[in-house]
Amino acid sequence: MSERYRQLSPSEFFYRNREIAGFSNPVRAVYQTIRELVENSLDATEMHGLLPEIKIEVRDEGEEKVTISVEDNGVGISPLEVPNVFGRVFYGSKYVLRQSRGVFGLGVKMAVLYAQMTTGQPVKVRTATRRSKFVYEYQVAINIEKNMPTIKSLAIMKNEDGWHGTRVELSMKGNWIQAKKRVEEYIRRTAIIAPYATIIVDAPDFSFRFERSSTKLPPTPITGKPHPHGVDIELLKKIIEGSKKTTYLFDFLIKNFDGVGPATAKKFFDTFGLNPDLKVKDLKIDEIEDLANKMQVFDDWRRPKHTTLSPLGEELLVKGVKAVLNPSFVTAVSRPPSSYAGHPFIVEVALAYGGSISPMDEPMLLRFANRIPLLYDEGVDVSTKVLGKIDWKTYKIDFPSPLAVVTHVCSTKVPFKGVGKEAVADVPEVESEIESGLRECARRLRTHLSRLERLFEVKRWEITVSKYVDEVSSSLSYVTGVDHGLLQSKLLALIKARVMAGDRNDE
Ligand code: ADP
Ligand code: MG
């Protein structure tokens, strides 16, 4: 008998392989669902200049059934888009060159798929865009075979109080008891990296509210163009297809790529002896291939622009760490923009010490990528590798020690290991930036610790020395006629200055 062939729809593929997107079991599914919904809510607010207020509700329905809802005050979703957004795998608004949490147009659909296959329930969505006169309430299921949404119900209500935002509710097979620690940790870490967000959680066993500690939002990322170092033949073909018949190669490069001005373009053509006056539409496939290769290897493109990125900044990072970890010392470094394979990235590192942080045998590592907390797969993350290279003794740290390390990688293409987005790969450029940031923070911590040591020493000296100072100044006063109290305070100040001067040697 001959084989029968058919195509697998994207929904069906992910339905069968849900573990690769983080939905491997009822514990992980709860965590992953909350994560996908919160990420979408944060994207829908902060990327549009709105201060996020996010409400997370979890109900444990018993018998391994959990209902999760997340509501935001974001830009909302146009009613026509709702069915596709929730019911069609690979449908989204973030397929552009700009930093965002979402990238694949997949996350929320995985949660919808998982809910549907474990409880048979559709996703419930309430949404209104800004200034919308109506609020829309949808129930949407996914037709897995066709990768198409099925609208189960739609209600349209008057938007009496001018609300805008989105509320998504899902019921699924889930293990709340085992998931709750991770979920709590995820929310705590989200509060560190988004100190401008108010997060309200109402769940069995814990309810809390993280009040925003800042009303300053990080810079909104701007959509950019691909960098020539990152092109391949397919991308080049696609851009050529969208070009006019009359476009010359020279203008084509300048118009469509980041980091190419007229001078750079001229240098490129001169270096390879290419003809800039060819029409792009006339290029044959082997010429396109040749062009792509040359664009990748040419060394003199300008660096990719970083306006597509949205780092948190040192001030906000310090605020977030302070608000959540309550350390006695914190410092942060936002490294200058860098790039790998044509993708711009920025690394931020913070170091927190003492206060409410408990002493541990190794530093507590808190990893973030594009403002997403990463909780799983710590062992294979590039930050873990960098930490392994640091000899903390040179920074005056002896373990056990109350030390927390925060790393944040932001990029238009974070080199994640896998679509579950839990670990950053050890790309050399990223690794070296993390290391520089971490060492800078560690040097500052060492300075701080040395200063503390000196202060401690001064106190000890003061106590021992004050006994003698009294006697000495009393005799001096007798001999010179200068006021006793004045002599005493001058002497003490002199000694203190000497001890403190030792401080400088450590910086
Ligand atoms: P991704 O986040 O990777 O784009 P998702 O499947 O999670 O993929 O979401 C698909 C799209 O739905 C998003 O790109 C966004 O346009 C829209 N969306 C999802 N959730 C929200 C929300 N809470 N508010 C506004 N838009 C949303
Ligand atoms: Mg998403």
Side-chain angles (χ1 to χ4, degrees):
M1 229 172 67
S2 66
E3 300 276 11
R4 291 183 53 190
Y5 293 89
R6 73 173 180 99
Q7 192 183 3
L8 192 67
S9 91
S11 307
E12 200 168 352
F13 174 80
F14 283 104
Y15 169 75
R16 292 184 184 191
N17 299 290
R18 51 197 167 276
E19 59 289 335
I20 59 176
F23 288 79
S24 43
N25 59 58
V27 180
R28 191 80 191 257
V30 169
Y31 159 76
Q32 196 68 31
T33 299
I34 290 176
R35 203 184 121 160
E36 296 294 353
L37 296 183
V38 170
E39 281 172 23
N40 282 349
S41 288
L42 286 169
D43 278 347
T45 43
E46 58 180 53
M47 278 173 65
H48 304 269
L50 297 165
L51 284 171
E53 178 161 324
I54 295 175
K55 295 182 197 136
I56 305 165
E57 246 179 70
V58 181
R59 284 199 312 272
D60 192 346
E61 319 268 8
E63 295 179 352
E64 281 223 312
K65 191 173 155 196
V66 177
T67 299
I68 296 164
S69 74
V70 174
E71 178 178 331
D72 62 60
N73 57 339
V75 288
I77 304 164
S78 133
L80 291 176
E81 295 288 1
V82 171
N84 280 331
V85 155
F86 292 92
R88 193 169 185 182
V89 169
F90 298 143
Y91 192 89
S93 59
K94 302 174 199 163
Y95 300 124
V96 285
L97 268 179
R98 175 181 65 177
Q99 177 189 330
S100 63
R101 292 179 173 80
V103 274
F104 303 118
L106 174 68
V108 78
K109 273 75 85 175
M110 285 308 302
V112 176
L113 270 175
Y114 181 84
Q116 187 171 324
M117 62 191 264
T118 54
T119 67
Q121 305 257 336
V123 57
K124 292 183 187 154
V125 184
R126 187 195 304 149
T127 189
T129 51
R130 282 182 283 190
R131 290 179 289 282
S132 164
K133 290 198 172 70
F134 301 98
V135 175
Y136 299 85
E137 248 182 46
Y138 272 94
Q139 295 202 23
V140 179
I142 301 182
N143 178 331
I144 294 175
E145 220 168 279
K146 295 207 176 107
N147 189 29
M148 292 285 278
T150 313
I151 300 167
K152 295 284 184 187
S153 73
L154 168 61
I156 303 173
M157 287 145 307
K158 271 202 128 159
N159 192 2
E160 306 280 5
D161 46 6
W163 177 73
H164 60 87
T166 305
R167 181 183 186 278
V168 182
E169 182 180 308
L170 284 158
S171 288
M172 58 177 57
K173 180 174 176 178
N175 185 329
W176 172 246
I177 302 292
Q178 284 188 44
K180 70 181 176 194
K181 266 201 107 57
R182 286 272 173 175
V183 170
E184 199 180 351
E185 188 56 27
Y186 170 77
I187 296 167
R188 257 167 54 85
R189 293 198 191 183
T190 301
I192 292 181
I193 206 74
Y196 46 81
T198 292
I199 306 174
I200 303 151
V201 190
D202 185 5
D205 317 307
F206 60 84
S207 297
F208 51 80
R209 188 185 169 98
F210 277 108
E211 205 62 52
R212 68 173 62 88
S213 55
S214 170
T215 51
K216 200 177 136 193
L217 283 170
T220 312
I222 294 165
T223 306
K225 299 176 197 166
H227 191 274
H229 270 157
V231 296
D232 54 36
I233 304 166
E234 286 309 314
L235 179 67
L236 209 50
K237 263 174 33 190
K238 209 176 97 191
I239 304 177
I240 291 175
E241 262 165 37
S243 301
K244 290 204 192 102
K245 270 206 160 90
T246 50
T247 307
Y248 293 102
L249 204 44
F250 190 81
D251 302 325
F252 171 78
L253 282 193
I254 295 170
K255 180 166 170 271
N256 294 292
F257 294 92
D258 180 19
V260 194
T264 320
K266 184 172 182 314
K267 202 162 173 194
F268 172 71
F269 288 108
D270 290 350
T271 304
F272 293 107
L274 285 172
N275 180 1
D277 298 326
L278 290 175
K279 291 199 177 111
V280 279
K281 288 273 191 190
D282 294 342
L283 290 179
K284 310 215 170 43
I285 184 67
D286 51 331
E287 288 169 321
I288 294 177
E289 185 185 342
D290 184 52
L291 181 62
N293 289 339
K294 294 194 161 116
M295 286 169 76
Q296 282 169 20
V297 297
F298 183 62
D299 263 343
D300 282 343
W301 301 121
R302 292 196 299 247
R303 273 186 171 198
K305 275 204 198 76
H306 56 273
T307 44
T308 47
L309 304 181
S310 173
L312 195 58
E314 294 173 3
E315 189 190 330
L316 274 178
L317 191 52
V318 164
K319 272 207 166 125
V321 171
K322 264 193 190 153
V324 179
L325 299 181
N326 187 31
S328 57
F329 171 84
V330 55
T331 186
V333 167
S334 210
R335 296 279 308 156
S338 181
S339 68
Y340 77 94
H343 309 297
F345 74 91
I346 289 178
V347 163
E348 299 182 292
V349 181
L351 210 59
Y353 181 84
S356 304
I357 302 173
S358 343
M360 281 182 298
D361 288 335
E362 47 188 52
M364 167 167 63
L365 174 60
L366 308 172
R367 297 170 294 134
F368 298 89
N370 282 358
R371 292 201 223 124
I372 305 173
L374 310 179
L375 264 64
Y376 285 89
D377 305 339
E378 183 175 306
V380 294
D381 193 284
V382 60
S383 295
T384 307
K385 186 175 172 199
V386 173
L387 269 189
K389 290 203 257 180
I390 307 281
D391 178 7
W392 289 99
K393 283 209 184 67
T394 49
Y395 301 103
K396 285 187 178 289
I397 300 280
D398 258 327
F399 287 97
S401 184
L403 182 68
V405 172
V406 176
T407 59
H408 180 212
V409 178
C410 54
S411 176
T412 42
K413 191 170 189 306
V414 175
F416 283 119
K417 290 184 166 172
V419 295
K421 299 187 283 188
E422 286 290 354
V424 178
D426 47 359
V427 173
E429 292 89 339
V430 176
E431 185 178 329
S432 113
E433 281 298 306
I434 294 178
E435 185 169 345
S436 308
L438 186 54
R439 289 197 187 277
E440 171 65 31
C441 285
R443 277 193 293 275
R444 292 182 194 169
L445 176 61
R446 182 177 59 196
T447 306
H448 167 77
L449 292 176
S450 313
R451 197 161 285 152
L452 281 187
E453 268 176 16
R454 296 275 172 251
L455 281 176
F456 184 73
E457 229 168 279
V458 168
K459 272 272 160 286
R460 246 192 16 203
W461 263 79
E462 266 180 3
I463 292 165
T464 340
V465 161
S466 56
K467 280 186 261 166
Y468 304 103
V469 165
D470 188 38
E471 243 171 70
V472 172
S473 43
S474 160
S475 319
L476 274 177
S477 168
Y478 178 74
V479 176
T480 59
V482 180
D483 179 59
H484 171 224
L486 181 68
L487 281 169
Q488 194 174 19
S489 63
K490 284 263 179 245
L491 265 174
L492 274 176
L494 260 173
I495 293 167
K496 202 164 165 178
R498 272 304 292 271
V499 180
M500 287 302 280
D503 204 7
R504 259 173 259 140
N505 303 335
D506 287 307
E507 282 179 30

